[in-house]
């Protein structure tokens, strides 16, 4: 225990709390509002939050592709999703990854055709996972 422990607030983004916990190698972070303890964020809370980003019951695919070229891929991806009448479930870019990546989850009848368009878009597809996988 410390006399002045590291804390966070309810307004602080969860990723900031996660960074603080990672950088300081701590397993839990008190949440305070003013001088009152209102909660505690634990490593399990962070795992649940992360898992919920990709959690879906939708039938579709998760495609991870390389975005090392650095351009904004969202406009072209939106065009591909609309072209094939798909539903975009998740769109995440991992800029600080060893190789910048984009992860998208889409559902709809023509999901396989989307992969062909991504290859034509000159972004190497790293992986394709069919959903739901549980």
């Amino acid at each position: 225990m410390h006399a002045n422990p590291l804390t966070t607030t309810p307004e602080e983004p969860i990723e900031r709390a996660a960074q603080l916990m990672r950088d300081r190698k701590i397993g839990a972070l008190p949440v305070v509002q003013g001088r009152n303890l209102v909660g505690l964020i634990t490593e399990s809370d962070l795992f649940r939050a992360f898992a919920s980003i990709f959690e879906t019951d939708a039938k579709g695919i998760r495609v991870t592709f390389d975005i090392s070229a650095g351009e904004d891929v969202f406009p072209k991806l939106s065009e591909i999703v609309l072209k094939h009448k798909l539903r975009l479930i998740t769109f995440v870019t991992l800029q600080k990854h060893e190789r910048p990546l984009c992860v998208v989850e889409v559902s709809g009848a023509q999901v396989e055709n989307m992969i062909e368009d991504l290859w034509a878009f000159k972004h190497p597809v790293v992986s394709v996972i069919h959903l739901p996988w549980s």
Side-chain angles (χ1 to χ4, degrees), residues 1-14:
M1 293 291 291
H2 294 280
N4 293 315
L6 295 172
T7 63
T8 189
T9 66
E11 295 80 23
E12 192 75 28
I14 195 164

Side-chain angles (χ1 to χ4, degrees), residues 79-97:
E79 179 184 312
I80 293 169
V81 167
L82 288 170
K83 172 184 173 184
H84 296 291
K85 298 180 174 78
L86 302 174
R87 179 174 167 245
L88 181 62
I89 299 167
T90 304
F91 175 88
V92 176
T93 60
L94 306 168
Q95 298 294 331
K96 294 187 177 186
H97 196 265

Side-chain angles (χ1 to χ4, degrees), residues 15-126:
E15 64 271 19
R16 177 66 186 120
Q19 290 168 344
L20 187 60
M21 291 170 66
R22 177 198 63 204
D23 294 348
R24 299 293 181 93
K25 296 179 175 47
I26 55 177
L29 191 61
V31 180
V32 296
Q33 192 163 34
R35 296 182 53 86
N36 298 322
L37 178 67
V38 295
L40 185 69
I41 296 176
T42 66
E43 290 173 324
S44 294
D45 296 326
L46 297 175
F47 283 129
R48 269 192 301 279
F50 177 75
S52 71
I53 292 171
F54 293 103
E55 188 174 28
T56 182
D57 293 329
K59 185 174 168 81
I61 59 172
R62 176 185 302 155
V63 182
T64 302
F65 58 96
D66 188 308
I67 56 171
S68 296
E71 78 278 10
D72 182 7
V73 297
F74 190 75
K76 183 62 177 176
L77 184 62
S78 297
E79 179 184 312
I80 293 169
V81 167
L82 288 170
K83 172 184 173 184
H84 296 291
K85 298 180 174 78
L86 302 174
R87 179 174 167 245
L88 181 62
I89 299 167
T90 304
F91 175 88
V92 176
T93 60
L94 306 168
Q95 298 294 331
K96 294 187 177 186
H97 196 265
E98 60 199 39
R99 171 174 63 171
L101 298 172
C102 182
V103 181
V104 295
E105 291 181 353
V106 295
S107 64
Q110 299 183 43
V111 292
E112 299 296 332
N113 297 338
M114 179 190 144
I115 298 169
E116 295 299 321
D117 282 355
L118 285 176
W119 279 106
F121 186 38
K122 309 292 188 248
H123 289 283
V125 175
V126 175

